[in-house]
Amino acid sequence: SQTIHQWPATLVQPVGSPLSLECTVEGTSNPNLYWYRQAAGRGLQLLFYSVGIGQISSEVPQNLSASRPQDRQFILSSKKLLLSDSGFYLCAWSPGGVEKLFFGSGTQLSVL
Amino acid sequence: AQSVAQPEDQVNVAEGNPLTVKCTYSVSGNPYLFWYVQYPNRGLQFLLKYITGDNLVKGSYGFEAEFNKSQTSFHLKKPSALVSDSALYFCALNQGGKLIFGQGTELSVKP
């Protein structure tokens, strides 16, 4: 069966420090991969999605970037964190098309 | 632009009563609609989806949703609410393989 792993679960970082959040999927190949951010425990904002290795689409211009170095690995990065980057970050995968998304357990990022 | 809206920030119901969480959508073409639930500090869990076919969709944990094309709605329902149903509920629209979420509705079920 397919599983999605996302880590770390919580992260506290100072303003101006770099960020790297990793997400991996097991049990499937060529998944669509997604990064969402949830602010203040409410609405989810799609940040990036990827349909294949090296193919990244950015939905919102911001201080973050994403990379997909391997088929089932999706990384969210920042060179210098801002206070406004704080939030709950969720990775997800889908088989593509109109199928449902499967979400990871999330990373709570606090930038101080 | 395609979108989903959840008009209620919070819904309060008594345990054992029926519950409805509202969702409306705006699309050009056929809508592909989903409901997800989120418990505190957790990822989202899939409840049900409407792609085509029967307007009444049955999902996990006794939930169902009714697709209404004329009212452009996809309300989530359950005949008898449980305290354990208390959570944040999201309606979502599939747009080209991406899910666009509503703002969420906090459901509180009191004993």
Side-chain angles (χ1 to χ4, degrees):
Chain A
S1 64
Q2 302 92 356
T3 56
I4 180 169
H5 302 280
Q6 186 181 344
W7 68 93
T10 60
L11 189 61
V12 180
Q13 292 285 98
V15 169
S17 63
L19 172 74
S20 181
L21 301 180
E22 188 165 345
C23 173
T24 59
V25 180
E26 296 178 357
T28 188
S29 60
N30 197 31
N32 286 1
L33 297 171
Y34 309 82
W35 279 110
Y36 283 86
R37 177 169 59 199
Q38 184 177 29
R42 293 307 289 244
L44 291 101
Q45 180 184 40
L46 178 61
L47 301 177
F48 301 95
Y49 73 99
S50 172
V51 299
I53 296 174
Q55 300 177 61
I56 309 293
S57 296
S58 174
E59 292 294 300
V60 182
Q62 60 211 318
N63 186 42
L64 302 169
S65 62
S67 62
R68 184 170 177 173
Q70 300 180 44
D71 181 43
R72 292 169 290 173
Q73 184 184 29
F74 205 27
I75 298 172
L76 183 70
S77 304
S78 173
K79 293 181 180 179
K80 289 186 177 182
L81 283 169
L82 306 172
L83 288 173
S84 57
D85 292 324
S86 294
F88 192 52
Y89 288 82
L90 288 157
C91 181
W93 76 274
S94 83
V98 296
E99 289 301 318
K100 63 187 177 186
L101 270 62
F102 299 86
F103 282 84
S105 54
T107 296
Q108 183 64 54
L109 173 66
S110 298
V111 182
L112 306 177
Chain B
Q2 302 186 99
S3 63
V4 289
Q6 294 177 245
E8 301 159 315
D9 283 344
Q10 184 155 7
V11 170
N12 299 309
V13 298
E15 187 175 31
N17 283 1
L19 70 85
T20 299
V21 183
K22 295 180 180 178
C23 173
T24 59
Y25 66 89
S26 174
V27 299
S28 54
N30 294 322
Y32 304 116
L33 297 161
F34 298 76
W35 276 102
Y36 281 81
V37 61
Q38 184 181 32
Y39 297 98
N41 299 314
R42 302 290 297 276
L44 276 69
Q45 297 177 32
F46 170 79
L47 285 178
L48 50 82
K49 68 178 179 181
Y50 173 83
I51 304 299
T52 188
D54 195 347
N55 289 343
L56 185 63
V57 180
K58 294 191 180 297
S60 306
Y61 313 122
F63 283 93
E64 58 189 27
E66 185 172 8
F67 173 71
N68 188 316
K69 188 173 183 178
S70 62
Q71 297 185 8
T72 61
S73 67
F74 189 55
H75 301 331
L76 182 70
K77 301 181 179 183
K78 187 172 183 180
S80 179
L82 300 173
V83 172
S84 58
D85 292 329
S86 299
L88 187 58
Y89 290 81
F90 289 96
C91 183
L93 173 70
N94 188 301
Q95 181 182 31
K98 301 173 290 183
L99 278 190
I100 308 302
F101 286 87
Q103 284 301 298
T105 298
E106 185 81 41
L107 173 66
S108 177
V109 182
K110 293 289 176 22

